[in-house]
Amino acid sequence: VERAWGGDPNWSKQSNIKEMKSQRAAEWNQFSNLVSKVEFPRLEVIFGGFNFRLPKPGVTIKDGRVLVNSELPGLLIRYTDNGTEPNETSPLYREPIPYFNGFSPKF
């Protein structure tokens, strides 16, 4: 349901703040997955395609591993390990990558 004319969401009426946050997070996850998996691919082809910008993934190094996450669930994250820009043939990030001296990943 579109928020502008759909009225207050059910989670906004919760008196328990923990339950409200849980329901809000579940609804956000559902919405962002729909945008990522349905609307972005559609925008790539409709009316000759549109240019749009996706948020860059979050990257951190912890315990000798490169950890990556995305603001939008369901998006594929590709990377290179030599500093070049990733493209559609670059490996998919599926799990933490070992970090070593001289490693210069790009996502």
Side-chain angles (χ1 to χ4, degrees), residues 10-28:
N10 289 335
W11 54 260
S12 70
K13 299 174 182 102
Q14 289 290 328
S15 58
N16 180 320
I17 193 78
K18 186 175 180 179
E19 184 62 28
M20 184 271 296
K21 287 182 178 183
S22 174
Q23 288 180 12
R24 182 179 63 190
E27 192 171 305
W28 171 253

Side-chain angles (χ1 to χ4, degrees), residues 13-89:
K13 299 174 182 102
Q14 289 290 328
S15 58
N16 180 320
I17 193 78
K18 186 175 180 179
E19 184 62 28
M20 184 271 296
K21 287 182 178 183
S22 174
Q23 288 180 12
R24 182 179 63 190
E27 192 171 305
W28 171 253
N29 189 44
Q30 181 181 9
F31 169 77
S32 59
N33 268 288
L34 180 69
V35 169
S36 298
K37 294 180 179 179
V38 176
E39 295 304 324
F40 286 157
R42 192 175 135 222
L43 285 172
E44 290 178 327
V45 296
I46 192 169
F47 303 119
F50 289 91
N51 291 324
F52 55 91
R53 187 189 71 76
L54 297 175
K56 291 190 177 230
V59 180
T60 189
I61 298 170
K62 183 176 181 182
D63 299 327
R65 301 179 313 155
V66 179
L67 306 171
V68 182
N69 67 4
S70 175
E71 184 177 335
L72 298 172
L75 294 180
L76 299 177
I77 299 174
R78 296 190 179 271
Y79 70 96
T80 60
D81 59 6
N82 60 7
T84 61
E85 288 295 320
N87 61 39
E88 62 276 352
T89 63

Side-chain angles (χ1 to χ4, degrees), residues 89-106:
T89 63
S90 299
L92 282 172
Y93 175 84
R94 297 188 187 276
E95 59 186 20
I97 304 166
Y99 178 79
F100 54 88
N101 196 13
F103 180 62
S104 56
K106 281 238 179 182

